[in-house]
Amino acid sequence: EAGVTQFPSHSVIEKGQTVTLRCDPISGHDNLYWYRRVMGKEIKFLLHFVKESKQDESGMPNNRFLAERTGGTYSTLKVQPAELEDSGVYFCASSPLSGTPNEKLFFGSGTQLSVL
Amino acid sequence: AQTVTQSQPEMSVQEAETVTLSCTYDTSESDYYLFWYKQPPSRQMILVIRQEAYKQQNATENRFSVNFQKAAKSFSLKISDSQLGDAAMYFCAYRSFQGAQKLVFGQGTRLTINP
């Protein structure tokens, strides 16, 4: 079974440019989460999708970030325009919508974003 | 809001020895989950061990065990018989019992294994 897939694995862009990160969750997983680790600090929650709906986007830093999950399958996270402080590793995670509180969360390997 | 603190940015241990990674957290909730995740150079986040706060017994997974002190809000990870493959970043994380899997992470501890 394929795991959570993220691409690109690395992205280097200049300040002011746009970047789109993609996450393919495990097939059948309705829950999809985005997290990021900036500047070697703690990993922080960005948002949570249930199928195609945004369940919680309280962690989104500002309106330069736009996340979508059309059709409830893969998700994209677009940063426009990118700023230096956006550099970091962006993780995606998914889990089934089982309703049980102890469901395991599966992570991707992340996208390393460098804004120069 | 909940917070998780890992006060050891880096730790090192000799191969085959035992090492303990510290984690403290702050919450007003009585039911929750605590986790230790491992992130090797591949960046893949791997769940090492999980503890339910309502369980008094400390969780154990092979060479990995935790010391969960609920009153002290402490959740340390003990790795026995350390192996070279244990070298990684280790993150402590908190999750509320109800609701979504919104994790609150600590800053991470980089563990080096010396041969």
Side-chain angles (χ1 to χ4, degrees):
Chain A
E1 177 183 298
V4 178
T5 306
Q6 292 187 247
F7 46 93
S9 59
H10 293 83
S11 180
V12 181
I13 61 172
E14 292 188 351
K15 175 183 173 181
Q17 290 185 324
T18 297
V19 63
T20 300
L21 314 180
R22 173 167 168 150
C23 169
D24 285 67
I26 292 173
S27 178
H29 282 192
D30 289 329
N31 285 310
L32 189 149
Y33 299 82
W34 283 98
Y35 290 84
R36 75 170 180 176
R37 187 178 189 221
V38 173
M39 297 286 288
K41 296 183 179 178
E42 67 270 22
I43 300 169
K44 287 193 173 180
F45 167 84
L46 294 179
L47 86 158
H48 169 213
F49 283 101
V50 175
K51 298 183 180 180
E52 67 276 7
S53 300
K54 292 176 184 176
Q55 193 76 10
D56 181 354
E57 51 184 330
S58 61
M60 294 289 265
N62 52 61
N63 58 11
R64 294 187 293 103
F65 289 76
L66 175 64
E68 295 180 323
R69 192 182 183 196
T70 306
T73 54
Y74 71 90
S75 174
T76 58
L77 180 64
K78 182 163 70 174
V79 186
Q80 180 182 27
E83 298 290 344
L84 299 179
E85 63 265 25
D86 300 332
S87 296
V89 181
Y90 290 76
F91 292 99
C92 176
S94 72
S95 70
L97 193 64
S98 66
T100 60
N102 60 352
E103 191 61 70
K104 185 179 176 181
L105 196 59
F106 295 83
F107 279 86
S109 297
T111 293
Q112 172 79 57
L113 175 64
S114 298
V115 183
L116 306 178
Chain B
Q2 295 83 20
T3 59
V4 177
T5 301
Q6 294 177 249
S7 59
Q8 305 155 316
E10 297 183 353
M11 291 282 285
S12 63
V13 65
Q14 289 296 125
E15 191 177 4
E17 294 190 345
T18 296
V19 64
T20 298
L21 308 184
S22 301
C23 173
T24 59
Y25 59 94
D26 189 28
T27 184
S28 59
E29 298 175 335
S30 58
D31 289 328
Y32 46 86
Y33 294 96
L34 295 166
F35 305 86
W36 278 98
Y37 280 89
K38 169 185 177 181
Q39 186 187 35
S42 67
R43 288 207 312 255
Q44 181 84 48
M45 293 282 281
I46 301 165
L47 177 64
V48 175
I49 201 164
R50 179 178 69 188
Q51 175 80 41
E52 290 89 347
Y54 60 85
K55 290 185 178 179
Q56 293 185 336
Q57 186 174 7
N58 289 325
T60 299
E61 287 288 341
N62 300 313
R63 297 182 296 107
F64 299 86
S65 62
V66 298
N67 183 5
F68 173 48
Q69 301 289 329
K70 190 172 184 179
K73 296 180 181 175
S74 172
F75 183 62
S76 61
L77 174 69
K78 185 172 81 171
I79 306 174
S80 304
D81 186 25
S82 298
Q83 301 175 1
L84 295 178
D86 294 333
M89 281 291 292
Y90 285 81
F91 292 95
C92 179
Y94 172 103
R95 204 206 99 189
S96 294
F97 186 75
Q98 295 294 340
Q101 292 153 313
K102 183 177 175 180
L103 298 174
V104 178
F105 286 91
Q107 301 90 330
T109 296
R110 181 173 300 282
L111 178 63
T112 302
I113 311 296
N114 300 313

